[in-house]
């Protein structure tokens, strides 16, 4: 244990079955417990929890799920976000390649094909970097 860690963490870890039971007690419908446990095993409770919070209401007793919320709804939100992230990063990669190509082409025309090796100090100075 790290000596500089001053706060004592007292919560005990819960199994995936216990975590799902906790959500069920808060009103979440789980049609296939085995599939839900598998999802928690590979995705993680705390990652899925971020997708669960928007479909919960805060009461005096704590958070509860909106009536009719299913585990599949939370998983669908996660899968949508995952696909959106994949598409976004794919397009971002295209932009990155295009920008690097334009920079490389422009610098090569001004300083030669090995501008990044031959003249780095000159290039940086001229660019004000």
């Amino acid at each position: 244990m790290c000596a500089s860690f001053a706060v004592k963490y007292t919560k005990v870890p819960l199994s995936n079955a216990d975590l799902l039971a906790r959500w069920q007690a808060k009103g979440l419908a789980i049609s296939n417990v085995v599939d839900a446990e598998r999802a928690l095993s590979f995705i993680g409770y705390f990652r899925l929890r971020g997708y669960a919070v928007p479909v919960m209401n805060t009461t005096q007793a704590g958070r509860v799920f909106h009536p009719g919320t299913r585990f599949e709804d939370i998983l669908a939100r996660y899968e949508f976000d995952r696909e959106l992230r994949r598409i976004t990063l794919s397009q971002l990669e295209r932009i990155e390649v295009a920008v690097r190509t334009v920079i490389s082409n422009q610098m090569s025309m001004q300083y030669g094909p090995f501008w990044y090796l031959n003249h780095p100090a000159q290039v940086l100075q001229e660019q004000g970097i």
Side-chain angles (χ1 to χ4, degrees), residues 20-30 55-56 63-71 74:
L20 288 174
R22 179 185 233 178
W23 272 358
Q24 283 179 309
K26 294 178 181 216
L28 183 66
I30 301 174
V55 291
M56 298 176 93
R63 287 192 177 127
V64 294
F65 285 94
H66 296 165
T69 303
R70 303 170 304 137
F71 183 80
I74 295 168

Side-chain angles (χ1 to χ4, degrees), residues 20-84:
L20 288 174
R22 179 185 233 178
W23 272 358
Q24 283 179 309
K26 294 178 181 216
L28 183 66
I30 301 174
S31 62
N32 188 328
V33 176
V34 173
D35 286 347
E37 284 185 24
R38 186 177 306 115
L40 285 185
S41 294
F42 291 103
I43 300 169
Y45 171 81
F46 288 101
R47 180 173 291 269
L48 285 179
R49 187 173 178 269
Y51 299 94
V53 171
V55 291
M56 298 176 93
N57 293 324
T58 302
T59 66
Q60 290 179 340
R63 287 192 177 127
V64 294
F65 285 94
H66 296 165
T69 303
R70 303 170 304 137
F71 183 80
E72 293 80 10
D73 299 331
I74 295 168
L75 207 52
R77 287 170 166 263
Y78 166 77
E79 291 295 339
F80 172 80
D81 189 51
R82 185 172 173 234
E83 182 66 11
L84 182 61

